[in-house]
């Protein structure tokens, strides 16, 4: 719905431009009657555009329509109306044409946090001055000179705009994320935070680890269960990498060894709030481990739940090819379910199409499970896209009622029984499903791969049934509420608003369709600065036509509201939150883990194209650099 209105609205802007622009040139030479009809058409296109704006406003609210209202009405619609009312209209028609060009530009470019009313006003005023000068100068020069001057000016303007955009969007060859002073600390009179090198923010260096693992990255030719070959990058020659199972409270030590031919690699513990120096982001918390190198990570696994690890160096290619695996932290005191398994839904690069699979299984997997067995299926979405309407990462479970026992590792309080629902899981996110094995088959489907997936049955046979679904799982209204350490009515020390939007723009020097945060791309998205102990609120708004699964490192955030409605179920703690188009969320967290932290879209292609920002603690610095000259690619 949002996407449809947004596209229609953009197309109407383009249409208005196409109607007004030629009229600007011809208005002096056409008959009154023709001009009259032309103006009517121009006004009609803008009126239609306004209807789209009103629909956006009514259906999705001010956050999604503010700039349409504040920019397009005063700067486009108003001049158009004046043009229609005035008899001496040449000037106003031309001004409206210029305004419709701005409207066209606005519709197809990324959006800032707040509508840039001043900028558009200034541009329109400039257009007015140019048109005045033109009107004064033009009777004195011939038509040919006038037209050539116009064409020349247009070409120079377009070319310099292009060159400027292209040049300024180039990624620096070397770049350090510097936690500058407080970027949002208006009136903040506290003394400057002392400077801390993030390499000192590491896990326990001494102490005998409870569990040790070695993960060796290498290039391995693997075959999915269908026989489809993947030129994979693997940990310990398998995909997914080995499942690391530890107990809550364990001191974990993982040695990463890189045997890849050329590429650097790191290990990021997705969802585990480890100390900053153990976070594994190349060029931010460490240098990527070069071929032949090793790196040791040590941290305490103090939060139970389902997590995963993956490389955080050029992840849009490396994770897709297989550099990931599961890490499960079992509750120390609690007995494990008898049948407890991780299901990593992945999209493998097979030919041109991503091939959906559970782990390396792109065919149906059957397993025998005794009736009465307590089952826990730990779903992890390691793919690269989240599409909410029955695509890549939407699961369904048939054959038994079930519960979503945990979200992103956090237990849901008193989860109710569910059936016949679509379970859309954010890329990077996790749902633990639990049920007692019934006397018949239970089928876990990825709706994008009908007939594939996981079939549990008492005797290990059976055929999957097509899921009949009647709704979507909504974590905002699931389980029993419970007191939380803070809520929407708390006093927040810092508040940030992040608008995700898409449009035509420049990324690393070339013109493309870009996805941006507050109209900016890495490394230009301002770092969100906090201090240890701050209570932080983030408002996340998705005005783009794509889903953006947002992942903040190092912290778990409480979702306080979804699309303006308070969360009414169990406290909903996330590390990865999907933002479908046209949605907005308020999340809150306590800044209790000092460092420099990535906050990014986990659609890794988006991240690779600049959808990365950072949460920084004042005073924290990094000795690491990213950029093409350093070998560190932090996404
Ligand atoms: Cu799963 Cu920044 O990563
Ligand atoms: Cu995205």
């Amino acid at each position: 719905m949002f996407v449809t209105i947004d596209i229609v609205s953009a197309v109407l802007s383009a249409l208005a431009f196409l109607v007004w622009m030629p009229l600007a040139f011809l208005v002096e030479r056409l008959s009154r009657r023709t001009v009259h009809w032309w103006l009517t058409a121009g006004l009609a296109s803008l009126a239609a555009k306004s209807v789209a704006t009103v629909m956006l406003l009514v259906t999705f609210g001010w956050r999604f329509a503010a700039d349409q209202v504040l920019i397009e009405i005063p700067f486009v619609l108003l001049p158009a109306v004046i043009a229609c009312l005035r008899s001496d209209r040449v000037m106003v028609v031309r001004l409206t044409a210029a305004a419709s060009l701005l409207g066209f530009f606005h519709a197809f470019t990324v959006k800032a946090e707040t509508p840039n009313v001043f900028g558009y006003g200034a541009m329109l005023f400039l257009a007015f001055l140019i048109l005045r000068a033109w009107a004064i100068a033009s009777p004195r020069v011939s038509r040919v000179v006038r037209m050539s001057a116009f064409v020349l000016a247009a070409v120079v303007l377009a070319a310099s705009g292009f060159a400027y955009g292209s040049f300024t969007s180039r990624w620096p060859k070397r770049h350090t994320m510097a936690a500058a002073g407080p970027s949002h600390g208006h009136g903040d009179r506290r003394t400057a935070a002392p400077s801390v090198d993030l390499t000192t923010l590491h896990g326990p260096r001494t102490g005998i680890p409870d569990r040790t693992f070695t993960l060796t990255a290498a290039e391995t030719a693997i075959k999915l269960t269908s026989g489809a070959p993947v030129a994979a990058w693997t940990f310990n020659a398998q995909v997914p990498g080995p499942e690391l199972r530890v107990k809550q409270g364990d001191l974990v030590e993982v040695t990463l060894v890189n045997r890849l031919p050329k590429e650097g690699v790191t290990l990021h513990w997705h969802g585990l709030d480890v100390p900053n120096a153990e976070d594994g982001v190349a060029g931010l918390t460490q240098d990527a481990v070069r071929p032949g190198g090793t790196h040791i990570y040590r941290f305490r696994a103090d939060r139970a739940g389902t997590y995963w690890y993956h490389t955080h160096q050029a992840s849009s290619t490396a994770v897709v090819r297989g550099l990931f695996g599961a890490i499960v932290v079992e509750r120390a005191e609690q007995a494990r379910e008898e049948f407890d398994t991780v299901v990593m839904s992945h999209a493998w690069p097979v030919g041109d199409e991503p091939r959906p699979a559970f782990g390396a299984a792109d065919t149906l997997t059957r397993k025998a499970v005794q009736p009465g067995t307590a089952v826990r299926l730990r779903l992890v979405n390691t793919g690269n896209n989240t599409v909410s309407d029955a695509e890549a990462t939407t699961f369904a479970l048939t054959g038994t009622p079930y519960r979503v026992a945990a979200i992103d590792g956090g237990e849901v309080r008193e989860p109710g029984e569910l059936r016949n629902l679509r379970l859309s899981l954010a890329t990077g996110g996790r749902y633990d499903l639990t049920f007692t094995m019934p006397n018949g088959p239970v089928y876990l489907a990825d709706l994008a791969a009908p007939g594939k997936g996981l079939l549990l049955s008492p005797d290990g046979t059976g055929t999957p049934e097509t899921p009949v679904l009647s709704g979507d799982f909504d974590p905002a209204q699931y389980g029993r509420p419970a007191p939380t350490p803070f809520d929407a009515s708390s006093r927040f020390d810092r508040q940030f608003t992040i608008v995700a939007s898409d449009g035509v723009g420049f990324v690393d020097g070339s013109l493309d369709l870009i996805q941006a945060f507050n109209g900016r791309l890495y490394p230009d998205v301002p770092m969100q600065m906090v201090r240890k102990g701050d209570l932080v609120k983030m408002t996340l708004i998705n005005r783009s036509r794509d889903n953006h699964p947002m992942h903040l490192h190092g912290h778990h955030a409480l979702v306080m509201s979804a699309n303006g409605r308070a969360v009414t179920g169990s406290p909903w703690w996330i590390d990865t939150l999907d933002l479908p188009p046209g949605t907005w969320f308020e999340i809150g967290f306590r800044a209790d883990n000092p460092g420099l932290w990535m906050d990014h879209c986990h659609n890794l292609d988006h991240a690779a194209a600049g959808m990365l920002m950072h949460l920084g603690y004042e005073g924290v610095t990094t000795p690491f650099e990213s950029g093409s000259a350093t070998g560190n690619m932090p996404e």
Side-chain angles (χ1 to χ4, degrees):
M1 178 71 163
F2 174 79
V3 175
T4 314
I5 302 179
D6 195 49
I7 290 176
V8 167
S9 162
V11 167
L12 289 170
S13 295
L15 196 69
F17 168 68
L18 290 177
V19 174
W20 284 95
M21 223 20 164
L23 183 60
F25 290 101
L26 301 173
V27 60
E28 283 169 311
R29 277 175 296 140
L30 295 172
S31 72
R32 275 191 88 77
R33 218 180 128 74
T34 317
V35 170
H36 177 83
W37 284 113
W38 204 314
L39 282 174
T40 313
L43 207 57
S45 66
L46 289 173
K49 162 89 197 170
S50 306
V51 171
T53 299
V54 169
M55 280 179 71
L56 214 51
L57 188 63
V58 170
T59 321
F60 295 92
W62 179 245
R63 284 172 189 80
F64 295 87
D67 42 358
Q68 270 93 326
V69 175
L70 294 178
I71 290 172
E72 285 164 9
I73 289 179
F75 301 134
V76 188
L77 195 58
L78 199 64
V81 170
I82 297 174
C84 294
L85 295 180
R86 295 214 5 170
S87 51
D88 165 26
R89 51 175 61 112
V90 176
M91 179 68 183
V92 206
V93 166
R94 288 187 174 150
L95 194 62
T96 308
S100 74
L101 176 61
L102 291 184
F104 173 72
F105 180 79
H106 175 251
F108 287 90
T109 47
V110 292
K111 311 291 184 276
E113 180 185 341
T114 44
N116 188 357
V117 177
F118 181 78
Y120 279 90
M123 280 196 278
L124 198 63
F125 185 66
L126 191 68
F128 170 76
L129 292 182
I130 293 170
L131 286 170
R132 282 299 304 174
W134 182 265
I136 294 164
S138 63
R140 285 171 229 163
V141 290
S142 75
R143 233 180 94 69
V144 182
V145 174
R146 260 188 286 160
M147 278 325 282
S148 353
F150 182 83
V151 170
L152 188 70
V155 168
V156 167
L157 200 70
S160 51
F162 192 92
Y164 177 80
S166 169
F167 186 73
T168 53
S169 71
R170 287 259 159 76
W171 282 336
K173 290 205 165 56
R174 311 192 83 92
H175 177 74
T176 308
M177 284 319 294
S183 59
H184 289 255
H186 314 290
D188 189 345
R189 296 232 168 70
R190 295 177 295 183
T191 49
S195 162
V196 181
D197 181 330
L198 68 74
T199 55
T200 63
L201 304 168
H202 51 70
R205 285 279 162 85
T206 55
I208 298 170
D210 300 290
R211 302 297 307 275
T212 57
F213 303 96
T214 299
L215 294 175
T216 304
E219 198 166 56
T220 314
I222 60 140
K223 281 199 163 49
L224 303 180
T225 53
S226 67
V230 178
W233 293 345
T234 57
F235 286 121
N236 299 6
Q238 65 185 83
V239 287
E243 181 179 311
L244 314 183
R245 281 234 176 208
V246 304
K247 287 274 183 219
Q248 191 174 10
D250 279 356
L251 177 59
V252 181
E253 180 178 296
V254 183
T255 305
L256 168 65
V257 180
N258 187 3
R259 295 259 148 76
L260 287 166
K262 292 201 290 283
E263 298 72 21
V265 61
T266 68
L267 285 172
H268 167 60
W269 313 98
H270 185 121
L272 284 171
D273 300 332
V274 298
N276 196 218
E278 313 291 340
D279 197 44
V281 179
L284 182 67
T285 66
Q286 67 173 96
D287 281 325
V289 178
R290 308 308 312 166
T294 61
H295 187 95
I296 295 174
Y297 298 88
R298 285 170 68 103
F299 56 87
R300 209 166 277 288
D302 43 20
R303 189 177 188 261
T306 307
Y307 306 94
W308 62 302
Y309 60 85
H310 61 79
T311 183
H312 220 296
Q313 155 83 0
S315 59
S316 66
T317 48
V319 173
V320 172
R321 288 178 75 167
L323 289 177
F324 66 91
I327 175 163
V328 174
V329 183
E330 292 176 352
R331 210 166 287 281
E333 73 283 7
Q334 194 176 299
R336 156 178 183 180
E337 274 86 0
E338 299 151 89
F339 186 89
D340 173 334
T341 192
V342 177
V343 176
M344 305 195 91
S345 130
H346 197 67
W348 292 101
V350 174
D352 297 335
E353 284 276 293
R355 172 79 57 93
F358 287 171
D362 61 341
T363 54
L364 180 70
T365 305
R366 290 189 178 84
K367 285 212 165 118
V369 180
Q370 282 308 306
T373 305
V375 178
R376 180 176 287 248
L377 302 178
R378 300 172 184 268
L379 311 187
V380 187
N381 181 1
T382 67
N384 225 5
N385 268 291
T386 313
V387 184
S388 46
D389 43 350
E391 299 259 356
T393 54
T394 308
F395 297 91
L397 189 80
T398 67
T400 178
Y402 60 92
R403 300 168 201 273
V404 177
I407 297 174
D408 285 1
E411 295 282 314
V412 174
R413 188 164 184 266
E414 295 183 30
E417 278 198 339
L418 302 171
R419 51 172 85 229
N420 304 337
L421 292 184
R422 269 178 294 270
L423 291 161
S424 285
L425 181 55
T427 296
R430 287 90 58 215
Y431 285 155
D432 288 14
L433 310 187
T434 57
F435 56 89
T436 305
M437 186 65 194
N439 221 335
V442 172
Y443 174 46
L444 177 70
D446 171 351
L447 295 182
K452 319 276 175 66
L454 177 64
L455 186 74
L456 310 179
S457 65
D459 59 359
T461 66
T463 42
E465 55 175 305
T466 310
V468 181
L469 302 169
S470 57
D472 294 283
F473 171 63
D474 181 4
Q477 306 176 34
Y478 183 59
R480 264 269 295 272
T484 46
F486 56 87
D487 59 25
S489 66
S490 302
R491 214 200 111 260
F492 290 91
D493 303 296
R494 311 276 169 160
Q495 307 210 22
F496 303 106
T497 299
I498 292 136
V499 176
S501 71
D502 54 10
V504 178
F506 290 91
V507 54
D508 196 14
S510 43
L511 197 62
D512 211 333
L513 181 69
I514 61 169
Q515 308 277 349
F517 289 136
N518 294 345
R520 305 217 200 173
L521 293 181
Y522 170 84
D524 296 329
V525 192
M527 194 184 285
Q528 288 145 7
M529 299 306 302
V530 297
R531 283 191 174 197
K532 186 168 186 203
D534 280 351
L535 190 60
V536 187
K537 175 169 152 184
M538 282 193 189
T539 305
L540 306 168
I541 304 169
N542 185 3
R543 299 189 50 187
S544 90
R545 299 168 192 123
D546 243 324
N547 290 56
H548 301 296
M550 295 297 298
H551 172 48
L552 170 63
H553 288 208
H555 302 76
H556 276 81
L558 180 70
V559 182
M560 301 184 295
S561 76
N563 301 312
R565 271 175 293 121
V567 170
T568 56
S570 163
W572 178 16
W573 291 94
I574 50 103
D575 53 61
T576 313
L577 178 67
D578 189 38
L579 311 182
T583 59
W584 68 285
F585 295 84
E586 288 172 305
I587 64 172
F589 62 91
R590 178 72 67 185
D592 55 4
N593 197 2
L596 299 179
W597 301 99
M598 275 256 175
D599 186 4
H600 64 98
C601 177
H602 220 286
N603 178 329
L604 299 173
D605 294 325
H606 291 177
M611 228 179 179
L612 304 174
M613 53 186 176
H614 296 79
L615 175 77
Y617 283 65
E618 285 172 28
V620 178
T621 61
T622 177
F624 303 109
E625 293 181 312
S626 58
S628 53
T630 66
N632 288 328
M633 310 285 281
E635 57 70 29

